[in-house]
Amino acid sequence: MMSRRFEIVVDGRPIAATGDRTLAAALLNAGIVRFRTSVTGEARAPLCGMGSCFECRVRVNGVAHQRACLLVCEEGMIVETES
Amino acid sequence: MNGADPVAMTAVYDVAVVGGGPAGLAAAACAAEHGARVVAIDQGARPGGQVWRHAHRNHLPALGREWIQRCDRSGARWLPGAAVVDGSARDGLVVVQRAESFLVRARHIVIATGARELFLPFPGWTLPNVLGLGGAKALLDAGMTVRGRRVVIAGTGPLLFAVAATMARAGAHVAAVAEQAPRLRVARFAASLLRHPGKMLQGARYRATFARTRFRPGTWISRAEGTGRLERVVLTNGERTWTEPCDLLCCSYGLVPNTDLARLLGCTVNDGVVKVDEHQRTSDPCIYCAGEPTGVAGDTAALVEGEIAGRCAADDATLQKGSPLYVARDRWRRFTTDLAAAFHPRGELLERPDAGTIVCRCEDVRCGGIDPRWTGRQAKLYTRIGMGPCQGAVCGPACHLLFGFAPGSTRPPLAAPPLAALLPDLPDCTKL
């Protein structure tokens, strides 16, 4: 069963998403590897995939530090990586 | 299963189950089937936990679908996207769901909080596209596509096979499968599976899926390399060292039981596992525990323990000692021992990595910045290790193994909730 396709906006750029995948999966599928920048300036991306490591945090609809691996994509989402 | 109605949440339930994986599902379903009023509190958007994480129910294995449907039908009330942040057995659990908080009071609590992965730091492990084994599985289940990508699977334990098979089925090129345990330990474990034919069959099916890739026991990661993202991994078997180019590295070293809630509620935890009696009851007679927090043994064991915990918490008098459930549970306890004997990290992995390797990913604390003579508390105060958003969930178990730091104290809130969820009725200053 396929879920409906739509776009979400990430750092001002539209990327493909569906309502049956998490935001982390959608960002990785779009080739994004810098979800956040670490305190010493390194690029970071998901590690645990299940909400415990906090490496995938991004700003979603203006709310900072949202774990992309715990959020399901929703139409109209505006995402900013913390880079 | 319906959403939250904050007013009703203060009602007294018979059983509150925390966690929605196999153990929690079984506990909630079985308690409700035995007449208890049950509420289940789960962090996930959908029931199933990590093992049965799914984008759609059609994607679930039959067993997962059956239990989720059974829980649906049981009348247990399901609270998705909800976390317990504080509480006690007597006063109730403080639950945060989205931007709301409420108290869940129940006569009995079942802790079914599962486990997380054990990560051991190596040079390059912070590069994007280095994932945990369970992390990779979770992201695949959540819609990550890997078709045509070159993947190295490393670390230890049965998850290696499960993830290699899932990657191969999803169209990835599995370049290498490296198991850190020596060949002899792996062979002994394979022989012990004769006691669990279902697991043996599952393992054989997984192996067939990635049959073209060599399985290398006694092989571990020396380092990962790349600029801005993973490009290759250097593997070693102690004698020979070689490089595998790859787009993705999936690696972890087994599972760590999630015992924070049990410790917060005052249950006895020994050697990292929650102490339970034959009825899955913890040191607090009102609180039960099932699944990985009592010792890592996998989903089948978690279902059995969940069923016992749920029925005992629902005061099911028909459940007698010596029942087939108890016999099955005791058999699975031996599986815990077999897993630990086969897949504990080898000595080389417990040597501290070089000084530049990051240990705490939240605060970028490097190995060389930690004095091994410090206590865990001193390390925290001097370096901020374990004080970032994950609160030591990732580096805590690694530091325990590498530096001998004891686990820190458990303090509320267990997860950081939005402040508005805890202070819902702040007056507007214009009304003062």
Side-chain angles (χ1 to χ4, degrees), chain B residues 22 25 52 60-69 299-300 303:
Chain B
L25 278 165
W52 294 329
L60 276 171
L63 188 63
R65 201 160 51 228
E66 278 164 30
W67 274 101
I68 289 173
Q69 283 167 354
D299 51 353
T300 327
L303 285 169

Side-chain angles (χ1 to χ4, degrees), chain A residues 46-55 69, chain B residues 117 119 131-132 134-136 138-139 394:
Chain A
L47 172 74
C48 81
M50 51 189 81
S52 57
C53 77
F54 288 73
E55 286 285 36
C69 71
Chain B
E117 293 193 87
F119 294 102
L131 305 170
L139 284 160
V394 175

Side-chain angles (χ1 to χ4, degrees), chain B residues 48-71:
Chain B
Q50 302 309 329
V51 175
W52 294 329
R53 183 186 268 261
H54 58 288
H56 193 278
R57 285 198 185 179
N58 291 347
H59 303 166
L60 276 171
L63 188 63
R65 201 160 51 228
E66 278 164 30
W67 274 101
I68 289 173
Q69 283 167 354
R70 185 166 163 188
C71 198

Side-chain angles (χ1 to χ4, degrees), chain A residues 19-32:
Chain A
D20 65 0
R21 64 184 49 162
T22 62
L23 183 55
L27 296 185
L28 287 171
N29 292 348
I32 291 163

